[in-house]
Amino acid sequence: MAESVSVDMEVLLLARKEHHIRTGCGSVSVIVCGDQNKPPLITYPDVALNYLSCFQGLFFCPEAASLLLHNFCIYHICPPGHEVSAVCPDDPIPSAEDLANQIIEVLNYFRLGAVMCMGASAGAYILSLFATKYRERVVGLILVSPLCKAPSWTEWFYNKMMSNLLYFYGVCGVLKECLLQRYFSKEVRGDAEFPESEIVQACRKLLDERKSINIFRFLQAINERPDITEGLKRLKCRTLIFVGDSSPFHSEAIHMTSKLDRRYTALVEVQGCGSMVTEEQPYAMLVPMENFLKGYGMYRPSYLSGSPKSPLSPSCISPELLSPESMGLKLKPIKTRV
């Protein structure tokens, strides 16, 4: 049965349709997966990634895929120029505000109302900015290693260095190493003694497909982002935040959690993991997401109701988070042990 479920999930994931939508800030690619009569979930990836390289690990976990595809139709929004076989756009370099405004045009194009949002790092920032601007269009946020403050001097300088590498040398080896350090923990990146993991090797190959100018444009927008901390204080939608304890954005995620309304917010720190929890330890997301979505009356199908292959166990998670009565009402910051 488990094997057939896995095949079914792969069929559903492959049964996708791409839409190219012209917005006031340029063209954007949206990949739609699933039944469009179901509630919408939109995703937004990190810099230099798209839905394949950022969320594939999560959606290819049978339990997570069944939970999400059973309850949602997925709309994967690609940052301009980050879709497969992207060309170099002629549009002006968009700002972070422009990218957030593109999302409302995407929702209107598909005639969507309020949506669930899932984003990673820079993508989490864009979705959070969108939520502060259009609060009535967001029912919940699932954020992975999110950003909310303006760049620190250290981050600004690091991003500027990557921008210069992109401008003068393209997607070179040094740039790929910088991005891989942004995404993954040292354990999976490998060293002289241990080879890098398969997920890092796959990501490295996918980065070869990116056009340097498109990464440069998204990186410029993120490096000039405004601080949205004050806007976060007014959010009332439920928010689930994941962050790896080896992520360069770990402190940023802690800061963001402290600014959100604690009645509606939960933090999951995944040990031994970098920023890209969706790829490095996707099973660590399953139990918290399942209990988070119970607050919306959403469940996994009964044929997958057995114990998930998650490295988490109920004893690792705050009892308050596991209580359906408290979902979205009294979620508390939690720390997982993998």
Side-chain angles (χ1 to χ4, degrees):
M1 177 57 119
E3 184 178 349
S4 66
V5 169
S6 177
V7 172
D8 290 344
M9 290 304 105
E10 290 186 19
V11 170
L12 280 170
L13 287 167
L14 292 171
R16 57 184 184 264
K17 184 176 181 181
E18 184 173 11
H19 299 257
H20 292 276
I21 302 168
R22 188 70 192 175
T23 73
C25 304
S27 181
V28 62
S29 171
V30 181
I31 312 295
V32 181
C33 300
D35 182 356
Q36 290 185 255
N37 292 317
K38 292 182 177 181
L41 182 151
I42 65 173
T43 72
Y44 211 104
D46 192 17
V47 170
L49 303 177
N50 58 27
Y51 77 102
L52 286 173
S53 47
C54 192
F55 300 107
Q56 181 173 269
L58 177 64
F59 280 91
F60 270 76
C61 291
E63 293 89 348
S66 68
L67 173 66
L68 296 172
L69 289 168
H70 177 72
N71 290 292
F72 296 104
C73 178
I74 316 296
Y75 297 79
H76 296 292
I77 301 176
C78 293
H82 283 54
E83 64 272 19
V84 177
S85 302
V87 297
C88 300
D90 298 324
D91 306 300
I93 295 178
S95 66
E97 290 262 352
D98 292 334
L99 297 176
N101 289 333
Q102 276 188 333
I103 295 174
I104 194 67
E105 295 190 59
V106 168
L107 300 195
N108 293 339
Y109 175 88
F110 289 107
R111 299 182 179 179
L112 303 178
V115 298
M116 181 72 70
C117 299
M118 178 187 292
S121 298
Y125 173 85
I126 299 298
L127 292 178
S128 300
L129 175 59
F130 169 73
T132 62
K133 291 166 63 70
Y134 303 97
R135 284 178 284 174
E136 73 284 355
R137 302 297 290 271
V138 177
V139 295
L141 292 167
I142 301 173
L143 307 176
V144 181
S145 304
L147 313 172
C148 67
K149 296 187 290 185
S152 64
W153 281 110
T154 302
E155 185 195 346
W156 183 90
F157 180 80
Y158 196 77
N159 288 344
K160 202 69 177 175
M161 179 192 71
M162 288 198 291
S163 294
N164 288 335
L165 287 170
L166 286 163
Y167 187 83
F168 291 107
Y169 302 103
V171 186
C172 60
V174 176
L175 176 85
K176 284 189 278 189
E177 290 304 322
C178 292
L179 289 170
L180 292 173
Q181 288 179 27
R182 174 189 178 97
Y183 306 146
F184 300 111
S185 66
K186 185 177 179 180
E187 286 75 13
V188 296
R189 293 200 313 271
D191 52 29
E193 187 176 353
F194 298 100
E196 63 185 19
S197 69
E198 291 182 0
I199 58 170
V200 176
Q201 292 174 17
C203 186
R204 189 185 293 277
K205 291 178 181 177
L206 287 167
L207 289 175
D208 287 331
E209 301 172 7
R210 299 277 81 77
K211 287 185 167 55
S212 58
I213 185 61
N214 293 330
I215 302 176
F216 177 88
R217 290 161 61 88
F218 192 14
L219 193 59
Q220 285 286 94
I222 289 302
N223 212 30
E224 297 173 5
R225 67 183 186 267
D227 190 310
I228 58 172
T229 301
E230 288 303 312
L232 294 175
K233 296 176 181 178
R234 296 189 292 272
L235 286 183
K236 297 299 180 186
C237 64
R238 302 172 183 179
T239 304
L240 178 60
I241 296 176
F242 295 92
V243 65
D245 64 357
S246 298
S247 168
F249 308 119
H250 180 267
S251 61
E252 187 98 0
I254 301 296
H255 170 80
M256 184 172 184
T257 304
S258 70
K259 300 304 178 183
L260 289 163
D261 192 325
R262 285 181 173 270
R263 295 174 297 169
Y264 309 112
T265 307
L267 170 68
V268 179
E269 296 177 75
V270 183
Q271 295 190 351
C273 187
S275 299
M276 210 55 55
V277 184
T278 51
E279 293 296 308
E280 194 169 338
Q281 294 197 31
Y283 278 112
M285 299 178 65
L286 178 58
V287 174
M289 276 201 313
E290 190 167 5
N291 286 285
F292 178 74
L293 293 177
K294 282 180 183 177
Y296 298 89
M298 297 178 175
Y299 298 86
R300 278 196 297 152
S302 57
Y303 55 76
L304 280 176
S305 60
S307 299
K309 304 173 187 175
S310 173
L312 304 176
S313 64
S315 61
C316 302
I317 302 175
S318 167
E320 288 82 358
L321 184 60
L322 289 172
S323 170
E325 291 78 15
S326 66
M327 286 306 303
L329 298 176
K330 293 183 179 180
L331 291 177
K332 296 184 178 180
I334 60 178
K335 188 160 187 173
T336 68
R337 298 185 64 84
V338 178

